């Protein structure tokens, strides 16, 4: 995967070393010293939790094992700027999901979209549901797009808590700590509110790298959400039939990604 920004290209070569790793060829892993010198961290893609060995999380660790938030943030912002023209969300699919929100929840007043880059998903949801929808974006490019705030989606604003009808994200795989992230998002929902997570071939464990630190198959994602929700929230429905499920994503003028198996998981907060 050749991405134009230098630091992202370097991270992508790390991604390749992760995706070809198997337990049986442990010897292929770069030795920690080499890896630390090249990438500034210990090699660190691991199962997201002991109960689910297949879902993977790339951990941003310093040499002393502590979480390196500055490197996480810088990695996300560099990738955002390198791909600023790309749009992952699809209007027809957002329209279809908006109809599901109306069916399950009825009329809405406020929604959140997380990790929105050019801010189109919040614009489309807002049009389809005739309500206020705000998007969060970690990069300072947020100011260029309407209804978008520069904000790390792991954090919640007090005014969102229990005031949000629905949350949509196709960027949940950018979380450095998905269990905490989903808990934070669900805190914002009204009782019975919905969290919609898009899933595709770009969200699988094999795609994990520092830009997309979390990856899970759709079955593992469902299992994790139900386990982490622990009665506070759970999967309401998996939508297997979005209007568009395969397309070519233009990441830059020269790079295209084939996206397949686009689906959505609808999570509901318990009343
Ligand atoms: C795969 S892109 C998707 C962008 C957009 N949703 C779309 O459909 O085109 C992920 C976006 O999430 C942003 N992002 C990554 N980590 C984030 C975080 N912790 N908080 C908010 N935004 C984040 C990135 O900067 C990037 O713009």
């Amino acid at each position: 995967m050749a991405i134009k920004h230098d630091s992202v290209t370097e991270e992508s070569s790390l991604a390749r070393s992760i995706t070809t790793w198997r337990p049986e060829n442990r010897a292929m892993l770069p030795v920690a010293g080499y890896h630390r010198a090249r990438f500034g961290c210990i090699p660190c893609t691991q199962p997201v939790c002991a109960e689910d060995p297949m879902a993977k999380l790339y951990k941003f660790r310093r040499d002393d094992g502590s979480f390196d938030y500055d490197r996480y943030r810088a990695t996300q912002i560099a990738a955002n700027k390198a791909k600023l023209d790309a749009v992952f969300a699809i209007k027809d699919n957002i329209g279809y999901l908006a109809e599901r929100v109306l069916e399950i929840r009825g009329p809405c007043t406020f929604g959140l979209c997380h990790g929105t880059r050019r801010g189109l998903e919040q614009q489309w949801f807002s049009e389809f549901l005739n309500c206020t929808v705000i998007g969060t974006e970690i990069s300072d490019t947020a100011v260029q797009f309407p209804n978008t705030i520069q904000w790390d989606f792991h954090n919640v604003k007090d005014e969102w808590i229990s005031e949000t009808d629905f949350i949509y994200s196709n960027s949940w795989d950018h979380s450095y700590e998905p269990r905490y992230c989903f808990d934070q998002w669900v805190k914002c929902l009204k009782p019975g509110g919905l969290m919609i997570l898009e899933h595709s071939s770009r969200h699988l464990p094999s795609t994990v790298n520092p830009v997309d630190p979390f990856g899970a198959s759709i079955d593992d994602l469902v299992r994790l959400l139900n386990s982490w929700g622990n009665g506070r929230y759970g999967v309401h429905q998996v939508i297997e039939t979005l209007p568009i499920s395969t397309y070519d994503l233009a990441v830059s003028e020269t790079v295209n990604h084939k996206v397949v198996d686009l689906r959505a998981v609808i999570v509901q907060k318990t009343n």
Side-chain angles (χ1 to χ4, degrees):
M1 167 164 50
I3 299 171
K4 53 187 172 182
H5 194 284
D6 287 344
S7 64
V8 179
T9 306
E10 182 178 73
E11 301 286 26
S12 297
S13 84
L14 168 59
R16 278 194 296 278
S17 77
I18 291 166
T19 52
T20 52
W21 182 80
R22 302 268 182 290
E24 64 275 16
N25 54 19
R26 191 177 296 273
M28 284 177 63
L29 272 181
V31 292
Y34 163 79
H35 193 101
R36 229 186 342 262
R38 176 138 193 238
F39 302 113
C41 68
I42 301 162
C44 37
T45 294
Q46 297 175 355
V48 70
C49 61
E51 306 84 63
D52 202 322
M54 300 309 286
K56 293 286 190 286
L57 186 64
Y58 176 91
K59 298 206 170 181
F60 288 83
R61 290 207 179 126
R62 296 192 190 88
D63 282 356
D64 65 4
S66 61
F67 173 48
D68 190 347
Y69 180 71
D70 291 344
R71 195 164 71 83
Y72 166 75
R73 195 166 183 278
T75 303
Q76 296 304 324
I77 292 174
N80 167 275
K81 291 182 177 174
K83 305 181 199 171
L84 194 57
D85 290 338
V87 179
F88 195 94
I90 295 173
K91 188 170 186 179
D92 285 356
N93 288 351
I94 300 293
Y96 183 91
L97 292 169
E99 278 174 26
R100 300 288 79 71
V101 171
L102 268 180
E103 267 171 23
I104 302 166
R105 270 251 3 116
C108 300
T109 54
F110 180 62
L112 283 168
C113 295
H114 286 310
T116 59
R117 196 155 50 208
R118 302 192 69 79
L120 285 171
E121 53 263 61
Q122 59 265 39
Q123 180 194 318
W124 294 330
F125 270 115
S126 176
E127 286 167 11
F128 288 125
L129 293 171
N130 193 25
C131 70
T132 302
V133 187
I134 298 290
T136 63
E137 172 51 62
I138 198 167
S139 172
D140 52 306
T141 57
V143 296
Q144 300 175 28
F145 304 104
N147 305 314
T148 308
I149 57 168
Q150 187 183 5
W151 187 262
D152 182 333
F153 59 47
H154 296 87
N155 303 321
V156 296
K157 284 187 185 271
D158 285 348
E159 72 232 41
W160 296 342
I161 294 178
S162 302
E163 293 293 339
T164 309
D165 290 292
F166 71 93
I167 291 171
Y168 163 87
S169 186
N170 56 23
S171 304
W172 51 270
D173 57 323
H174 291 250
S175 171
Y176 58 77
E177 194 55 79
R179 181 178 192 160
Y180 173 72
C181 180
F182 293 143
D183 278 356
Q184 289 285 84
W185 292 4
V186 171
K187 245 187 231 172
C188 297
L189 293 175
K190 297 175 183 172
L194 304 175
M195 174 167 78
I196 304 161
L197 308 174
E198 268 192 18
H199 189 281
S200 74
S201 55
R202 306 292 310 165
H203 295 92
L204 295 172
S206 57
T207 66
V208 163
N209 64 74
V211 178
D212 310 88
F214 176 43
S217 70
I218 196 158
D219 290 346
D220 285 333
L221 181 65
V222 166
R223 220 179 347 263
L224 286 169
L225 287 162
N226 283 331
S227 157
W228 292 341
N230 195 22
R232 291 168 298 132
Y233 58 90
V235 173
H236 172 82
Q237 188 183 0
V238 175
I239 299 187
E240 306 270 359
T241 53
L242 287 171
I244 295 173
S245 62
T246 302
Y247 67 104
D248 286 319
L249 173 69
V251 178
S252 69
E253 277 173 21
T254 50
V255 180
N256 261 302
H257 287 151
K258 188 106 195 141
V259 180
V260 300
D261 292 336
L262 199 53
R263 288 174 281 182
V265 178
I266 301 190
V267 176
Q268 190 159 35
K269 184 175 185 173
T270 310
N271 279 316

